[in-house]
Amino acid sequence: MTQRYMVEPIGRVSSPLVDPRTAPKQGGEGSPDAWLLFEPAVLPGLRDLRVGSEVLVLTWLDRADRDTLLVHPRDDPANPETGVFSTRSADRPNPVGLHRVEILAIDGPRVQVRNLEALDGTPIVDLKPVLHPTLDR
């Protein structure tokens, strides 16, 4: 018997990126600054975020093809077909996005970030700090 898990979005991405075909493949490849818009219920969890910090944003890539198991990396047919779990493809059985971003501004329930390639409206699942082993003890 397959277990099911419920994941509730804690917010949404607000970005000028709307077309997956023209969006950058990775955040550092020309993505525009974007805003993370959080639900009121989770605002206390944002309390200790700081401008200049790096965080990992976990998203649910809601427009992904969940039946995909083989892809041509970077959507380039010249690349050999590869199992999806050894790629960063958005198309996958459980389309969890992982984005390392820098916080540029914090304005109440909104957090502006750099290097986020997620499309406008993408659900945010979680936010975690980037740990630096020599600094975070």
Side-chain angles (χ1 to χ4, degrees), residues 9-12 37-46 108-110:
I10 60 170
R12 300 250 174 213
L37 311 177
F38 290 94
E39 296 293 332
V42 303
L43 294 184
L46 304 178
R110 303 177 337 135

Side-chain angles (χ1 to χ4, degrees), residues 37-78:
L37 311 177
F38 290 94
E39 296 293 332
V42 303
L43 294 184
L46 304 178
R47 183 182 77 190
D48 297 306
L49 294 179
R50 298 287 178 257
V51 171
S53 296
E54 288 185 306
V55 293
L56 298 172
V57 180
L58 283 80
T59 59
W60 188 261
L61 304 173
D62 57 327
R63 286 154 266 199
D65 178 351
R66 296 187 68 182
D67 294 324
T68 297
L69 294 174
L70 299 170
V71 298
H72 293 279
R74 302 189 65 79
D75 296 323
D76 183 347

